[in-house]
Amino acid sequence: MSPKALHNLTMIPFFIYGTVALIMGIGWLSHPEPWLLDKIANEQILNESFQDLFQREGNGNLSLYLTNIYRFFGLWVSATGALTIIYTYLTRLGAPLSRILIQVVYLFLLIGATYLLFTYIPASHFRYLVGAFWLIYIISVWSGIQLKKFDT
């Protein structure tokens, strides 16, 4: 495989990660009830519906609290996505060190996300996204290893 193709296979997964994170973060920031974006999984953790939870006495401001938590989460996710896109664009992951650093960071992110997902919310539709992320991560790492043969 040519160095250019290997380089693209190393770099493109991080553009995908960044773009997906940016879009998802904006979704959590802009949705009027962001906790409903993963309603089934959230209700599974709570072992009750949001409707029942909000009707309970003393939970009148719970929706405001959840909105703030999800807005912060959306800000964090979109910022992570933007930083990933910017880092990948600026470095083009051309230097072996730039590839290794971002791959190590995303290895920890993927391990953590996979653990949390399958431990606490296995019914979440995000399990398909994490599976796809692992696939493109493996492609990126394999391509980066192959690309080392061409590094000077």
Side-chain angles (χ1 to χ4, degrees):
M1 195 173 287
S2 75
K4 184 174 180 169
L6 289 170
H7 183 256
N8 287 338
L9 287 173
T10 302
M11 190 174 66
I12 288 172
F14 293 99
F15 277 120
I16 293 170
Y17 291 148
T19 303
V20 169
L22 187 60
I23 291 168
M24 289 174 61
I26 290 169
W28 281 309
L29 279 167
S30 61
H31 196 280
E33 295 177 318
W35 59 89
L36 295 179
L37 294 174
D38 202 14
K39 180 181 178 184
I40 293 170
N42 286 334
E43 288 181 345
Q44 182 183 21
I45 290 171
L46 296 169
N47 202 26
E48 70 179 308
S49 71
F50 281 111
Q51 184 178 4
D52 293 341
L53 189 63
F54 292 141
Q55 288 178 354
R56 231 190 264 150
E57 187 178 332
N59 286 351
N61 290 325
L62 183 58
S63 64
L64 294 174
Y65 175 76
L66 288 173
T67 300
N68 281 333
I69 294 290
Y70 272 92
R71 297 281 186 261
F72 178 77
F73 182 64
L75 181 64
W76 174 77
V77 170
S78 59
T80 301
L83 286 170
T84 299
I85 292 168
I86 292 167
Y87 179 82
T88 305
Y89 177 76
L90 290 177
T91 65
R92 302 283 199 281
L93 304 184
L97 182 60
S98 67
R99 291 192 296 268
I100 291 169
L101 289 175
I102 199 165
Q103 288 172 341
V104 167
V105 168
Y106 268 84
L107 176 63
F108 284 110
L109 284 173
L110 285 170
I111 288 171
T114 303
Y115 171 77
L116 292 172
L117 180 69
F118 286 100
T119 302
Y120 297 106
I121 50 173
S124 175
H125 56 277
F126 290 120
R127 65 184 181 271
Y128 303 111
L129 183 63
V130 168
F133 275 10
W134 273 110
L135 177 64
I136 65 174
Y137 178 81
I138 290 167
I139 291 169
S140 176
V141 169
W142 177 84
S143 300
I145 291 169
Q146 300 306 309
L147 196 55
K148 280 186 180 181
K149 297 172 187 174
F150 300 99
D151 288 333
T152 56

